[in-house]
PDB file of all heavy atoms in Angstrom:
ATOM      1  N   GLN A 312     -36.831   6.355   3.480  1.00 96.00           N
ATOM      2  CA  GLN A 312     -37.145   5.030   3.476  1.00 96.00           C
ATOM      3  C   GLN A 312     -36.330   4.118   4.472  1.00 96.00           C
ATOM      4  O   GLN A 312     -36.664   3.047   4.747  1.00 96.00           O
ATOM      5  CB  GLN A 312     -37.016   4.371   2.123  1.00 96.00           C
ATOM      6  CG  GLN A 312     -37.797   4.943   0.989  1.00 96.00           C
ATOM      7  CD  GLN A 312     -38.193   3.952  -0.090  1.00 96.00           C
ATOM      8  OE1 GLN A 312     -38.318   2.812   0.089  1.00 96.00           O
ATOM      9  NE2 GLN A 312     -38.296   4.500  -1.324  1.00 96.00           N
ATOM     10  N   THR A 313     -35.365   4.759   5.046  1.00 97.00           N
ATOM     11  CA  THR A 313     -34.582   4.054   6.058  1.00 97.00           C
ATOM     12  C   THR A 313     -34.886   4.441   7.412  1.00 97.00           C
ATOM     13  O   THR A 313     -35.072   3.576   8.224  1.00 97.00           O
ATOM     14  CB  THR A 313     -32.974   4.538   5.873  1.00 97.00           C
ATOM     15  OG1 THR A 313     -32.569   4.220   4.532  1.00 97.00           O
ATOM     16  CG2 THR A 313     -32.142   3.616   6.872  1.00 97.00           C
ATOM     17  N   LEU A 314     -35.164   5.614   7.671  1.00 97.00           N
ATOM     18  CA  LEU A 314     -35.472   6.140   9.032  1.00 97.00           C
ATOM     19  C   LEU A 314     -36.867   6.759   8.920  1.00 97.00           C
ATOM     20  O   LEU A 314     -37.074   7.772   8.161  1.00 97.00           O
ATOM     21  CB  LEU A 314     -34.524   7.136   9.547  1.00 97.00           C
ATOM     22  CG  LEU A 314     -34.853   7.560  10.926  1.00 97.00           C
ATOM     23  CD1 LEU A 314     -33.406   7.925  11.689  1.00 97.00           C
ATOM     24  CD2 LEU A 314     -35.717   8.751  11.175  1.00 97.00           C
ATOM     25  N   ASN A 315     -37.897   6.255   9.652  1.00 96.00           N
ATOM     26  CA  ASN A 315     -39.280   6.814   9.648  1.00 96.00           C
ATOM     27  C   ASN A 315     -40.019   6.173  10.871  1.00 96.00           C
ATOM     28  O   ASN A 315     -39.315   5.635  11.772  1.00 96.00           O
ATOM     29  CB  ASN A 315     -39.900   6.367   8.316  1.00 96.00           C
ATOM     30  CG  ASN A 315     -39.758   4.795   8.062  1.00 96.00           C
ATOM     31  OD1 ASN A 315     -40.076   3.997   8.814  1.00 96.00           O
ATOM     32  ND2 ASN A 315     -39.070   4.584   6.788  1.00 96.00           N
ATOM     33  N   ARG A 316     -41.299   6.306  10.911  1.00 95.00           N
ATOM     34  CA  ARG A 316     -41.983   5.869  12.090  1.00 95.00           C
ATOM     35  C   ARG A 316     -42.016   4.306  12.192  1.00 95.00           C
ATOM     36  O   ARG A 316     -42.336   3.743  13.277  1.00 95.00           O
ATOM     37  CB  ARG A 316     -43.557   6.253  11.924  1.00 95.00           C
ATOM     38  CG  ARG A 316     -43.717   7.723  12.078  1.00 95.00           C
ATOM     39  CD  ARG A 316     -45.173   8.123  11.992  1.00 95.00           C
ATOM     40  NE  ARG A 316     -45.934   7.605  13.185  1.00 95.00           N
ATOM     41  CZ  ARG A 316     -46.068   8.153  14.334  1.00 95.00           C
ATOM     42  NH1 ARG A 316     -45.558   9.281  14.604  1.00 95.00           N
ATOM     43  NH2 ARG A 316     -46.897   7.556  15.284  1.00 95.00           N
ATOM     44  N   ASN A 317     -41.563   3.581  11.189  1.00 96.00           N
ATOM     45  CA  ASN A 317     -41.468   2.188  11.237  1.00 96.00           C
ATOM     46  C   ASN A 317     -40.041   1.625  11.675  1.00 96.00           C
ATOM     47  O   ASN A 317     -39.862   0.536  12.012  1.00 96.00           O
ATOM     48  CB  ASN A 317     -41.712   1.572   9.855  1.00 96.00           C
ATOM     49  CG  ASN A 317     -43.115   1.821   9.367  1.00 96.00           C
ATOM     50  OD1 ASN A 317     -44.092   1.485  10.108  1.00 96.00           O
ATOM     51  ND2 ASN A 317     -43.271   2.428   8.206  1.00 96.00           N
ATOM     52  N   HIS A 318     -39.109   2.557  11.638  1.00 96.00           N
ATOM     53  CA  HIS A 318     -37.680   2.161  11.987  1.00 96.00           C
ATOM     54  C   HIS A 318     -36.987   3.433  12.528  1.00 96.00           C
ATOM     55  O   HIS A 318     -36.834   4.338  11.758  1.00 96.00           O
ATOM     56  CB  HIS A 318     -36.999   1.492  11.030  1.00 96.00           C
ATOM     57  CG  HIS A 318     -35.936   0.433  11.461  1.00 96.00           C
ATOM     58  ND1 HIS A 318     -35.068   0.810  12.358  1.00 96.00           N
ATOM     59  CD2 HIS A 318     -35.768  -0.768  11.069  1.00 96.00           C
ATOM     60  CE1 HIS A 318     -34.268  -0.206  12.593  1.00 96.00           C
ATOM     61  NE2 HIS A 318     -34.680  -1.074  11.923  1.00 96.00           N
ATOM     62  N   GLN A 319     -36.344   3.388  13.757  1.00 97.00           N
ATOM     63  CA  GLN A 319     -35.607   4.448  14.300  1.00 97.00           C
ATOM     64  C   GLN A 319     -34.140   4.059  14.424  1.00 97.00           C
ATOM     65  O   GLN A 319     -33.808   2.810  14.653  1.00 97.00           O
ATOM     66  CB  GLN A 319     -36.290   4.960  15.567  1.00 97.00           C
ATOM     67  CG  GLN A 319     -37.667   5.552  15.416  1.00 97.00           C
ATOM     68  CD  GLN A 319     -38.741   4.398  15.361  1.00 97.00           C
ATOM     69  OE1 GLN A 319     -38.798   3.575  15.995  1.00 97.00           O
ATOM     70  NE2 GLN A 319     -39.622   4.716  14.342  1.00 97.00           N
TER      71      GLN A 319
END
Side-chain angles (χ1 to χ4, degrees):
Q312 293 209 39
T313 305
L314 186 152
N315 47 59
R316 291 181 64 88
N317 296 309
H318 207 311
Q319 295 79 45

